[in-house]
Amino acid sequence: MENLDLIERLCQARGTSGFEDEVVQIAKEYCKDFAKIEEDCMRNLYIRPYGSKGNRPLVMLDAHADEVGFMVQGIKPDGTLRFIPIGGWNEKCLPSSKVQVYTKHGYISGVIAAMPPHLMTAEQRNAPISYSTLTIDVGATSDTEAREMGVEVGAPVVPLSPFEYNSEYGILQGKAFDDRLGVAAMLICLKKLADEELDVDVIGIVSTQEEVGERGITAVMGRIKPHAAICFEACPADDTSAPSYMIQDKLRGGVMLRHMDLTVICTPRFIQFAKETAEDTGIKVQMAVRSGGGNNGAYIISANGGTPVIVSGIPVRYIHSFNCIAALEDVESNINFGLELCKKLNAKIIKGF
């Protein structure tokens, strides 16, 4: 299945913030036959379907390429690597996790060291996990050997996790679902829109460095001026952690359409239009009010004098970890959601936002 193949390739690609090259290349290959593609110095990708006329309202579809990861900060005399996080992690999930470390010879595998219980003191057993004590082990026995392997200070590090698909239940498992599932949904939606007669022009953006403060989209919004924007995001599923009355982002629940999070209050009239569009077209949506998290919408909404924005969310369990779980049907709901919104949008509707 073409869509599943794209999802797998994107999720397996290695691309922590600032090092999104593999993801960008996959997107460029996917879009080359139906769109004009440009790239800036931050590796943000601008995808304009050939049918764009340039004289209609511009609707931006955004998804960020980067995943949370790490960077090598130092090489210890014993050959292990000190590292720092890129993006937000739950440090408790790190010890014993497999990683990939970039070297001048290519990526090599390693593991975030976990001391055997046999060697731990009582104090070590009870100590909180800290980046000052964590190391990555690539099998080297000295700093000289680690350098011979090609490891350098500043090397990006990403999780090493297999991608799996359970076809019977439509379940995806793997790394980097935030936001590679969003990138896949946005690209597939954009390809479908290229064959539609629309009242708007659309542009797809594969943005960079979202996980470290929405830096890529900041550059994008200095370059283009969309009249409305849809952010395709993978969002933390809460159906295994929240009380039943607070579940707002469950697997198989469809699109998570959020009112707000820690960084943004999305455009209320755009939200209402999106909700009604979903109801009219039979697309499942779940409404959410978040007290944490953030996304590119926070910068989009205040750029260029104000840009109406909504977030089209894909539920993902165990987000920002080495192994995520999601449902393919929720990805497909987001594809259809973006498609139906763009088919209905026009100058008058957007002006009403």
Side-chain angles (χ1 to χ4, degrees), residues 22 48 69 72 80 89 94 104 198 218 241 263 291 302 322:
E22 291 185 11
R48 299 177 186 269
V72 174
T80 59
W89 284 95
L94 299 183
K104 54 189 175 184
L198 305 174
T218 302
S241 58
T263 64
S291 56
S302 58
F322 281 69

Side-chain angles (χ1 to χ4, degrees), residues 29-349:
E29 291 175 2
Y30 182 81
C31 298
K32 64 182 180 181
D33 293 333
F34 67 86
K36 177 184 176 182
I37 302 169
E38 297 178 69
E39 190 178 328
D40 65 25
C41 65
M42 288 188 72
R43 306 307 311 272
N44 294 306
L45 205 61
Y46 303 75
I47 307 164
R48 299 177 186 269
Y50 289 129
S52 298
K53 298 180 180 178
N55 59 352
R56 301 178 298 188
L58 181 62
V59 177
M60 180 175 75
L61 311 183
D62 166 70
H64 67 89
D66 56 319
E67 63 185 295
V68 291
F70 312 96
M71 181 177 284
V72 174
Q73 188 179 33
I75 304 174
K76 299 177 68 174
D78 64 3
T80 59
L81 315 176
R82 281 282 302 272
F83 64 96
I84 61 171
I86 297 178
W89 284 95
N90 174 359
E91 289 79 8
K92 294 179 180 179
C93 78
L94 299 183
S96 80
S97 297
K98 292 277 290 180
V99 295
Q100 303 172 80
V101 182
Y102 181 79
T103 77
K104 54 189 175 184
H105 310 302
Y107 279 90
I108 61 174
S109 62
V111 64
I112 299 177
M115 185 179 293
H118 317 67
L119 305 179
M120 297 179 75
T121 65
E123 182 181 6
Q124 288 171 323
R125 290 176 186 273
N126 297 318
I129 294 172
S130 167
Y131 287 102
S132 64
T133 57
L134 288 172
T135 59
I136 293 171
D137 192 334
V138 293
T141 57
S142 68
D143 54 349
T144 300
E145 189 173 9
R147 289 187 172 91
E148 287 175 350
M149 291 179 173
V151 178
E152 297 179 344
V153 170
V157 180
V158 295
L160 177 56
S161 305
F163 179 88
E164 299 178 27
Y165 176 61
N166 184 321
S167 58
E168 183 177 359
Y169 295 98
I171 293 298
L172 309 163
Q173 295 189 38
K175 74 168 186 70
F177 284 9
D178 179 11
D179 183 33
R180 306 294 165 67
L181 296 186
V183 173
M186 187 274 285
L187 293 177
I188 296 165
C189 178
L190 198 64
K191 185 176 182 179
K192 290 178 178 289
L193 286 168
D195 296 326
E196 295 286 342
E197 289 292 330
L198 305 174
D199 293 321
V200 296
D201 286 334
V202 294
I203 183 170
I205 302 294
V206 179
S207 54
T208 59
Q209 299 193 38
E210 189 269 355
E211 298 293 358
V212 289
E214 293 81 42
R215 297 173 189 174
I217 199 66
T218 302
V220 168
M221 296 301 286
R223 185 170 175 175
I224 64 172
K225 300 184 185 300
H227 297 87
I230 304 168
C231 293
F232 289 79
E233 260 286 8
C235 304
D238 53 13
D239 53 346
T240 60
S241 58
S244 58
Y245 72 94
M246 282 294 289
I247 294 173
Q248 299 179 340
D249 192 26
K250 63 182 180 180
L251 256 65
R252 307 188 195 284
V255 178
M256 190 197 85
L257 186 58
R258 76 177 69 184
H259 289 279
M260 68 171 290
D261 58 33
L262 190 62
T263 64
V264 63
I265 298 174
C266 295
T267 309
R269 291 176 183 172
F270 197 174
I271 292 173
Q272 185 60 33
F273 170 79
K275 182 182 177 183
E276 291 173 358
T277 298
E279 291 171 350
D280 291 344
T281 54
I283 297 169
K284 291 191 289 186
V285 292
Q286 42 194 335
M287 308 305 296
V289 175
R290 296 308 215 191
S291 56
N295 65 88
N296 280 343
Y299 187 79
I300 293 169
I301 199 169
S302 58
N304 297 324
T307 306
V309 68
I310 57 170
V311 177
S312 180
I314 302 169
V316 175
R317 290 178 180 169
Y318 322 119
I319 208 166
H320 283 214
S321 77
F322 281 69
N323 295 283
C324 307
I325 295 176
L328 182 60
E329 68 177 79
D330 291 329
V331 179
E332 293 169 342
S333 290
N334 277 265
I335 295 167
N336 294 331
F337 184 59
L339 181 63
E340 294 299 333
L341 285 175
C342 290
K343 285 165 61 176
K344 289 188 68 174
L345 285 170
N346 58 42
K348 181 179 179 180
I349 290 172

